[in-house]
Amino acid sequence: MTLRVAVQMDPIESINIAGDSTFAIMLEAQARGHTLFYYQPKALALKGDRLHATGHWVTVRDEKGNHFALGKEERVDLGAFDVVHMRQDPPFDMNYITITHMLEQIHPRTLVVNDPREVRNAPEKLYVMQYRDLMPPTLITRDPRELQAFREEHGEIILKPLYGNGGAGIFRLGGEDQNFGALVELFTQSFREPFIAQRYLPEVRKGDKRIILVDGEFAGAINRVPAANENRSNMHVGGRPEPTELTKREREICERLGPDLKAKGLIFVGIDVIGDWLTEINVTSPTGIREVKRFGGADIAALIWDAIERKRKR
């Protein structure tokens, strides 16, 4: 099976190939003989029932500093492709939402990964609220009185933007922290949306586990341990990846989520677990597959393409 594959992503020249999941997916596609077309989200154009993109046919190499070669610029009809990967990073804002509407015009005739309608309906920190019994105590609000009452109930809390990503804007606040009021004011001035508060989980010092599911099945996991002076475990702010195994509780979480993710056409999903608690379900642009393979785990890029090829055959 040879597929025409379009990849919607951030500028290819600026990615860090050592840890970039999109790049791993592209390498695997090329190894299977699929052809690759690369474009950025700003290059989309919907005219009538046709969705076009301007970009380049591309070849990729796993060589730092020499990882891609572009063909001449070309305008293509995305409806003529077999697969489109929606892989640009958040923020999950109106631009992101609009792009899901545009891609929905060609899906599922052209298979968009992940399903754009379901991505739009599953922002990471809201979708997870469908599984409240798996989560730590969580509050979504803009009301300072609600936030104050939540902090009084739970003591130490985490406050973060509802549509943030990459660990940006995450604050740990103790029960007596005098910055609480000023921080709530800052959030209120900075964000039009509600924000999210969660009970602080001290287990995060042992790591924030990223677990990857492919077409609803467990595929691999890494543990991300925060630096000594950080509450955040994201690798780009100093979190240290390390190999890990799933606990019984984590397998139960995967078994609970898996059928729902598969039914929604969410092929590539990364969930975050701290201690025994599910904190996020990442469906926009999950990461971590190169780290899993580096530590001797599964080749998740290959599993993703196995799932895609099964769907295209059907």
Side-chain angles (χ1 to χ4, degrees):
M1 176 185 290
T2 300
L3 301 176
R4 285 162 52 93
V5 178
V7 184
Q8 177 177 295
M9 61 184 290
D10 299 312
I12 193 168
E13 63 272 13
S14 62
I15 64 174
N16 174 12
I17 67 171
D20 194 275
S21 293
T22 305
F23 189 71
I25 291 168
M26 295 172 77
L27 285 171
E28 179 63 22
Q30 185 173 274
R32 293 180 180 223
H34 305 324
T35 56
L36 293 169
F37 185 83
Y38 148 72
Y39 69 95
Q40 295 180 48
K42 64 183 180 182
L44 284 173
L46 179 63
K47 183 178 181 181
D49 63 350
R50 295 293 183 91
L51 183 62
H52 293 94
T54 299
H56 305 263
W57 296 98
V58 62
T59 56
V60 289
R61 296 177 291 270
D62 203 1
E63 299 176 19
K64 184 177 180 181
N66 185 35
H67 62 278
F68 71 98
L70 300 180
K72 65 181 181 63
E73 187 175 76
E74 188 174 335
R75 182 175 181 265
V76 299
D77 180 352
L78 289 179
F81 281 70
D82 299 295
V83 180
V84 171
H85 282 276
M86 182 170 60
R87 288 292 304 172
Q88 79 273 16
D89 286 338
F92 189 84
D93 54 13
M94 283 307 301
N95 179 58
Y96 211 109
I97 290 170
T98 301
I99 287 168
T100 67
H101 283 291
M102 296 172 79
L103 288 172
E104 197 176 346
Q105 303 299 313
I106 62 171
H107 179 80
R109 184 179 68 257
T110 295
L111 178 64
V112 180
V113 182
N114 287 316
D115 183 321
R117 177 194 296 267
E118 297 301 338
V119 168
R120 185 170 66 246
N121 291 336
E124 272 88 89
K125 298 174 183 67
L126 280 172
Y127 179 38
V128 69
M129 295 292 284
Q130 296 185 27
Y131 305 94
R132 290 180 294 277
D133 59 311
L134 303 179
M135 297 179 64
T138 300
L139 171 70
I140 297 175
T141 188
R142 287 178 63 85
D143 189 331
R145 295 164 299 182
E146 293 282 351
L147 289 164
Q148 179 61 33
F150 185 83
R151 186 172 75 141
E152 289 173 359
E153 180 181 1
H154 296 289
E156 203 164 8
I157 66 170
I158 293 291
L159 188 67
K160 53 188 174 181
L162 188 58
Y163 295 116
N165 67 293
I170 296 179
F171 292 87
R172 173 183 172 186
L173 292 166
E176 303 300 323
D177 196 316
Q178 295 182 4
N179 292 306
F180 175 79
L183 188 58
V184 171
E185 287 178 7
L186 177 63
F187 269 49
T188 302
Q189 294 166 4
S190 301
F191 306 110
R192 296 181 62 189
E193 306 84 13
F195 18 95
I196 184 168
Q198 283 184 330
R199 186 183 73 194
Y200 173 70
L201 300 173
E203 300 96 321
V204 74
R205 300 312 311 168
K206 297 180 181 179
D208 179 350
K209 195 170 292 188
R210 164 56 56 90
I211 301 170
I212 298 170
L213 295 95
V214 174
D215 206 20
E217 299 290 334
F218 167 71
I222 53 168
N223 195 35
R224 301 167 298 178
V225 180
N229 61 342
E230 266 284 359
N231 293 305
R232 302 171 296 175
S233 58
N234 308 73
M235 287 180 283
H236 74 276
V237 294
R240 183 184 76 252
E242 61 180 24
T244 189
E245 299 290 335
L246 291 197
T247 65
K248 179 181 177 182
R249 166 71 166 179
E250 289 161 350
R251 291 193 178 277
E252 290 171 353
I253 291 172
C254 291
E255 290 167 4
R256 174 84 172 278
L257 270 57
D260 293 345
L261 300 175
K262 184 179 180 69
K264 292 177 182 294
L266 297 169
I267 293 174
F268 179 16
V269 175
I271 66 172
D272 295 339
V273 177
I274 299 174
D276 286 337
W277 301 104
L278 175 68
T279 59
E280 290 189 16
I281 303 174
N282 298 275
V283 304
T284 50
S285 185
T287 60
I289 66 179
R290 298 214 89 180
E291 288 80 9
V292 170
K293 186 177 180 181
R294 191 176 302 129
F295 286 124
D299 185 345
I300 296 175
L303 297 178
I304 290 168
W305 278 109
D306 289 345
I308 290 170
E309 290 173 1
R310 286 195 301 269
K311 289 179 180 293
R312 291 311 309 173
K313 286 178 181 177
R314 288 200 294 267

